[in-house]
Amino acid sequence: MDDDRYSAYIVSRRGSKPHASRRTQRRRSHRAAGLLITVLLILTAVICLLVFFLPKLTSPTGADTAIDFGGRTFYLLATAKTDERVAAELQAKSAADRGGAGYVYNDGSYNIIAALYERESDAKTLVTVNQDSYYFALSVPAVACGEGDKRALDFITGELCATLSELAVDLDRGNITEAAAEHAVSVAMNKTAEIALGVENERLHAALTETIESSHPTDRSVLSGVRFIQVQAIVAVREIYV
């Protein structure tokens, strides 16, 4: 009987082990599958985060995605130069009374600006017929900037400058009325305001705002005002990047 008892006991123990082993294996399999699913979910979440944030990490504020503004050079026709502020104001008024911009440009001396030209040949020609006048180049430098800033720089140095040049020529020749010229200036300033909304650089935004605010001078003729706005816009933008 002892043999039977121990035999039954031994059989019972041996019979229980395979069942326990299979349950353990199943549990391990489930844990491995769960761990794999967890890892896959984490990887999926990481990929989604990278897709969302990576474009922001490489936004236009970085040098690799900056847009280049190529720069522009203009030529300022000046009628006088002085180191005295009072004399500069008197000479500026005299230039404005004759239809010039009457803009005082300070580069260490006061230069009294009559007009701005996109071509050097135009400034050279006018120097030959205006006694004591001279001209000099003024460049808005090339810069790397965001898309909104480039659009503004292209507009100010391109379309706006050309529009004001045409208005000045037409007014000087009597091809357009003062009312029509003032209306054209208002239209141009409305577009300037629209473009200013997309500007990232705070100083550039301020320069555009200054141009808009100075577009209705009451102390000068319409012709002088058109030329003044043109010079003021180019000088204000240039001063940001020099």
Side-chain angles (χ1 to χ4, degrees):
M1 293 186 73
D2 289 342
D3 290 341
D4 291 340
R5 185 177 65 252
Y6 287 124
S7 176
Y9 177 75
I10 291 172
V11 169
S12 175
R13 289 183 59 191
R14 288 180 179 177
S16 66
K17 283 186 178 180
H19 293 292
S21 176
R22 284 194 296 271
R23 285 196 299 271
T24 301
Q25 288 175 356
R26 283 197 297 269
R27 283 197 298 269
R28 288 176 179 174
S29 297
H30 292 160
R31 288 172 185 168
L35 180 60
L36 179 59
I37 292 171
T38 301
V39 170
L40 290 174
L41 290 173
I42 292 172
L43 288 175
T44 301
V46 170
I47 291 170
C48 291
L49 289 173
L50 286 174
V51 169
F52 181 77
F53 286 109
L54 191 58
K56 296 185 177 182
L57 296 175
T58 57
S59 64
T61 55
D64 292 340
T65 56
I67 301 171
D68 289 333
F69 167 70
R72 287 289 303 275
T73 298
F74 301 92
Y75 302 91
L76 300 182
L77 176 68
T79 57
K81 177 184 287 191
T82 180
D83 293 327
E84 301 296 328
R85 180 66 195 181
V86 173
E89 290 175 350
L90 290 173
Q91 291 166 343
K93 185 178 185 308
S94 176
D97 289 344
R98 289 177 287 156
Y103 184 94
V104 180
Y105 178 72
N106 187 350
D107 62 356
S109 293
Y110 298 119
N111 299 269
I112 312 307
I113 308 303
L116 177 147
Y117 297 96
E118 298 177 72
R119 297 184 302 182
E120 185 177 11
S121 59
D122 292 338
K124 273 185 178 180
T125 299
L126 287 165
V127 164
T128 64
V129 297
N130 288 276
Q131 188 176 3
D132 298 326
S133 66
Y134 60 97
Y135 79 92
F136 58 94
L138 189 77
S139 295
V140 179
V143 294
C145 56
E147 183 177 354
D149 289 3
K150 182 180 185 301
R151 185 187 179 205
L153 290 170
D154 284 338
F155 174 73
I156 292 293
T157 62
E159 181 181 336
L160 180 63
C161 188
T163 296
L164 296 175
S165 289
E166 291 174 8
L167 287 176
V169 170
D170 286 341
L171 279 167
D172 197 31
R173 293 176 178 175
N175 297 333
I176 188 174
T177 66
E178 290 186 334
E182 285 190 321
H183 176 70
V185 170
S186 294
V187 171
M189 291 302 102
N190 287 338
K191 185 166 185 180
T192 303
E194 182 271 322
I195 287 175
L197 296 175
V199 169
E200 298 97 347
N201 186 308
E202 292 183 1
R203 293 183 63 196
L204 180 57
H205 186 276
L208 268 62
T209 301
E210 181 183 357
T211 297
I212 296 167
E213 291 174 348
S214 67
S215 63
H216 298 289
T218 58
D219 59 343
R220 60 186 70 229
S221 67
V222 176
L223 175 58
S224 175
V226 167
R227 286 175 169 159
F228 180 88
I229 296 165
Q230 184 185 40
V231 175
Q232 185 274 331
I234 296 302
V235 171
V237 168
R238 177 186 182 274
E239 294 302 311
I240 298 169
Y241 301 104
V242 295

